[in-house]
Amino acid sequence: MAVDEETIRRIARLARLELGEAEVARLADEASKILEWVEVLGRVETAGIEPVSAVIPKPHRWRADEVTDGGLGEALLANAPARAHGFFAVPKVIE
Amino acid sequence: MTALTELSLCAMREGLGRGDFSARELVAAHLAAIEAARELNAFITETPDLALAAADAADAALARGEAGPLAGIPLGIKDLFCTEGVRTTAASRILADFRPPYESGVTARLKAAGAAFVGKLNLDEFAMGSSNETSAFGPVVSPWRARGSNAPLVPGGSSGGSAAAVAARLVAGATGTDTGGSIRQPAAFTGICGIKPTYGRCSRYGIVAFASSLDQAGPMARTVADCALLLEAMAGHDPRDATSLEEPVPAWSQLLSGDIRGRRIGVPREYRLEGMSADLDALWQAGAAWLRDAGAEIVDISLPHTMEALPTYYILAPAEASSNLARYDGVRFGLRVMPECGSLADMYCATRAAGFGAEVKRRIMLGTYVLSAGYYDAYYLKAQKVRALIMRDFETAFGTCDLILTPSAPTAAFALGGKVSDPIAMYLNDVFTVPASLAGLPAMSVPAGLDPQGLPLGLQVIGRPLDELGVLDAARAIERAAGFAAAPARWWGAA
């Protein structure tokens, strides 16, 4: 299936990726080729087959509702690109 | 006396136990080898001081008779495992200065076993690649060269730094991670062993996530026994990873025998690809003959959906990656690029544009596309259903065989730069490894011979869920019969 440049721009917006014009053109070409390559799956009969998301079935277990850590504010902020007053700092979002 | 770096990991352990050499001597010998091998670009971060401190602690523990099973053993850690206080980059610009405040589950176990980490190993960016050429820190160069040639070769990927470091005798062993073949294919390219255990054996806690339903850690080393010992130290339940298996860890290093008498070895006919090289085909047949001579029975099996595995993988893995990599937004950690007078959304887009390389962007775009409204059912859901069929193929096959033998990779190592411009040609590297990944099965690559250019070729053994022992035993039988002793001739460094 051919992917046009407008679709690439739309997907890039969804993925929060800024792309240059050359990148858009290249990705449209590559994505078209890759999607053509995966078209083979359309020919596989999958009626009545349950989709798989976990390979090794494992029951979900309850755990005790207990506090197991905390007081990690400094460690959490240690890699922050910007911080203020013990919080992550970001550009203003509300005018 | 043999150079310390030439010893197998198990032999290092025995030598340390007997007092033939100290952990400090052993680690120092490896640090010198690393320093002389910078041309390989195997390491992103070297940690010699931490390694020597760990060696001294190991010597003290050895003297007290309280040494852990890996006391003083010099290991390299793929730079996808978070190491407390030591830069962890995932070979990406977006994490170039990231210092984790915590330790991954697997590396914590290795440290507790006494290992000395000599540094963080190069890889494809976010483990996305099959040649280690997508690293933001430059490609790794294989220590191997074709006979009569000086042309640089790829070490495979994504655990290319791990593979090169083990093959070049810079470390006794290394951690790798395998999503679609990232342990097994580089192991095959560099003439070493590597095992991806059953999905869930090793904790994913603290491993930078790529495709969470597929990612699994495993060891890479020069012998099957070395891998058994490392895997034993790495595996085990971790409540911090919801997919971690609550299964006891067998004493693989003790149980490993190489005895495969009476085992049925399946040879899947669909893996005999059109255009497969005669050398590889001959090696595969030799592998089956070795196992037969060792007392196994060879049976012909069918895995009908083999050819659909790669397209399935290249829908599911990018979909999971696009979701996992959404966290890199320049807010809490990692790179931030702030356009002048830009909004928060501008910051996200600029940060991700500057921080991710071309292959990572390609996969994020593909994953976002297949998950987007209107395409989800046709691609993502369809791929999840085909994945069920691929798993069923293996279940059916394991009704008539106990283990499966295949080649590890379709070719030997290729030239640096040889496939970077064609994503699909690059993806085809994983044609033999991806099916077992999709089914979550344990699988191992073991070196089995050299091609006419003198480059290593590997064979892969795939087992039932949790049958790492069967996989290790068959790999040991192949190792014994193949008598693979080739090592890369040293061309790097001042020597």
Side-chain angles (χ1 to χ4, degrees):
Chain A
M1 176 168 168
V3 180
D4 58 28
E5 297 191 5
E6 191 39 48
T7 305
I8 292 294
R9 287 192 197 91
R10 184 173 62 81
I11 297 296
R13 274 196 300 279
L14 289 173
R16 299 287 184 271
L17 272 177
E18 187 179 280
L19 297 179
E21 278 310 301
E23 267 179 309
V24 170
R26 187 171 48 76
L27 280 164
D29 179 52
E30 287 170 356
S32 298
K33 284 183 183 145
I34 293 168
L35 289 170
E36 187 188 301
W37 176 63
V38 304
E39 284 295 306
V40 58
L41 298 187
R43 296 199 292 273
V44 181
E45 179 54 64
T46 52
I49 301 294
E50 281 300 306
V52 161
S53 55
V55 281
I56 311 286
K58 185 173 174 282
H60 292 289
R61 293 251 313 240
W62 293 95
R63 62 164 171 77
D65 186 15
E66 286 164 355
V67 176
T68 54
D69 63 8
L72 298 170
E74 196 45 48
L76 285 166
L77 285 167
N79 282 285
R83 55 190 287 183
H85 319 296
F87 294 99
F88 297 107
V90 294
K92 199 161 133 184
V93 270
I94 301 166
E95 292 302 329
Chain B
M1 182 180 156
T2 315
L4 294 180
T5 52
E6 289 294 325
L7 298 174
S8 71
L9 193 155
C10 290
M12 289 178 196
R13 192 177 168 219
E14 285 159 23
L16 286 169
R18 281 194 305 264
D20 294 352
F21 44 82
S22 68
R24 181 168 257 273
E25 287 169 317
L26 181 66
V27 168
H30 284 86
L31 294 176
I34 291 167
E35 205 177 309
R38 297 230 169 95
E39 286 163 83
L40 302 181
N41 200 27
F43 285 85
I44 290 177
T45 305
E46 296 174 14
T47 56
D49 296 343
L50 291 173
L52 288 171
D56 290 344
D59 280 328
L62 284 159
R64 289 195 308 270
E66 295 166 2
L70 296 174
I73 299 295
L75 297 183
I77 303 299
K78 186 178 184 178
D79 205 16
L80 202 64
F81 292 81
C82 285
T83 39
E84 189 175 352
V86 175
R87 185 170 77 135
T88 299
T89 68
S92 180
R93 279 188 300 278
I94 214 157
L95 285 175
D97 298 311
F98 178 59
R99 275 172 209 281
Y102 65 102
E103 188 79 23
S104 83
V106 163
T107 50
R109 282 179 186 273
L110 290 171
K111 272 188 179 171
F117 296 169
V118 294
K120 304 298 291 287
L121 292 159
N122 205 343
L123 66 151
D124 280 296
E125 184 179 5
F126 283 103
M128 296 178 193
S130 303
S131 65
N132 214 121
E133 292 170 288
T134 72
S135 168
F137 295 82
V140 175
V141 180
S142 175
W144 290 86
R145 284 173 166 178
R147 201 171 282 130
S149 166
N150 288 334
L153 299 175
V154 301
S158 68
S159 309
S162 303
V166 171
R169 275 69 178 161
L170 311 184
V171 293
T175 61
T177 63
D178 192 313
T179 303
S182 282
I183 288 174
R184 291 161 285 161
Q185 183 256 20
F189 276 18
T190 56
I192 65 165
C193 300
I195 180 166
K196 177 197 89 70
T198 309
Y199 181 81
R201 271 287 190 199
C202 291
S203 170
R204 289 184 299 106
Y205 176 78
I207 299 175
V208 176
F210 162 14
S212 304
S213 82
L214 295 153
D215 296 344
Q216 187 55 209
M220 302 169 78
R222 291 186 292 270
T223 73
V224 176
D226 291 357
C227 281
L229 185 64
L230 285 172
L231 183 60
E232 199 176 310
M234 292 166 70
H237 179 244
D238 183 346
R240 298 167 300 182
D241 170 6
T243 60
S244 167
L245 294 171
E246 294 176 62
E247 293 285 335
V249 177
W252 290 304
S253 63
Q254 305 296 312
L255 296 167
L256 176 69
S257 64
D259 183 357
I260 51 153
R261 283 173 297 176
R263 309 304 296 273
R264 296 164 303 168
I265 311 288
V267 175
R269 63 182 82 112
E270 291 82 3
Y271 280 53
R272 182 152 285 109
L273 299 183
E274 218 173 294
M276 181 191 267
S277 83
D279 317 314
L280 191 60
D281 198 9
L283 187 77
W284 189 13
Q285 289 180 40
W290 292 330
L291 293 176
R292 190 188 302 116
D293 292 345
E297 181 195 344
I298 306 299
V299 294
D300 177 50
I301 62 164
S302 174
L303 297 167
H305 296 92
T306 297
M307 281 305 109
E308 283 80 34
L310 265 185
T312 301
Y313 177 85
Y314 276 98
I315 291 172
L316 297 178
E320 294 186 28
S322 74
S323 171
N324 269 326
L325 270 58
R327 76 191 67 183
Y328 302 100
D329 57 7
V331 174
R332 290 160 302 146
F333 51 85
L335 181 73
R336 170 183 290 194
V337 177
M338 190 62 237
E340 200 134 348
C341 302
S343 67
L344 184 63
D346 295 336
M347 184 187 90
Y348 295 155
C349 294
T351 296
R352 293 162 64 79
F356 293 137
E359 180 64 26
V360 173
K361 286 179 187 169
R362 186 181 295 139
R363 296 203 196 187
I364 289 174
M365 290 291 290
L366 200 60
T368 307
Y369 181 84
V370 301
L371 289 174
S372 65
Y375 299 106
Y376 183 91
D377 286 1
Y379 290 107
Y380 187 67
L381 201 63
K382 184 75 183 182
Q384 285 188 309
K385 289 177 180 175
V386 179
R387 186 177 188 180
L389 294 174
I390 290 164
M391 290 172 67
R392 186 188 289 179
D393 283 357
F394 279 108
E395 279 161 30
T396 305
F398 283 128
T400 55
C401 69
D402 302 304
L403 296 158
I404 295 172
L405 179 72
T406 81
S408 300
T411 64
F414 46 88
L416 208 66
K419 294 188 183 182
V420 272
S421 58
D422 184 350
I424 294 175
M426 189 66 90
Y427 297 169
L428 288 172
N429 268 291
D430 299 328
V431 63
F432 297 134
T433 49
V434 150
S437 295
L438 289 169
L441 302 171
M444 179 164 197
S445 180
V446 57
L450 298 175
D451 78 354
Q453 275 87 52
L455 297 176
L457 295 171
L459 291 174
Q460 175 181 233
V461 181
I462 304 169
R464 292 190 181 98
L466 302 178
D467 189 23
E468 283 81 7
L469 183 59
V471 170
L472 289 162
D473 275 334
R476 176 74 189 100
I478 291 170
E479 180 181 56
R480 203 180 270 151
F484 185 91
R490 185 168 159 178
W491 50 264
W492 60 91

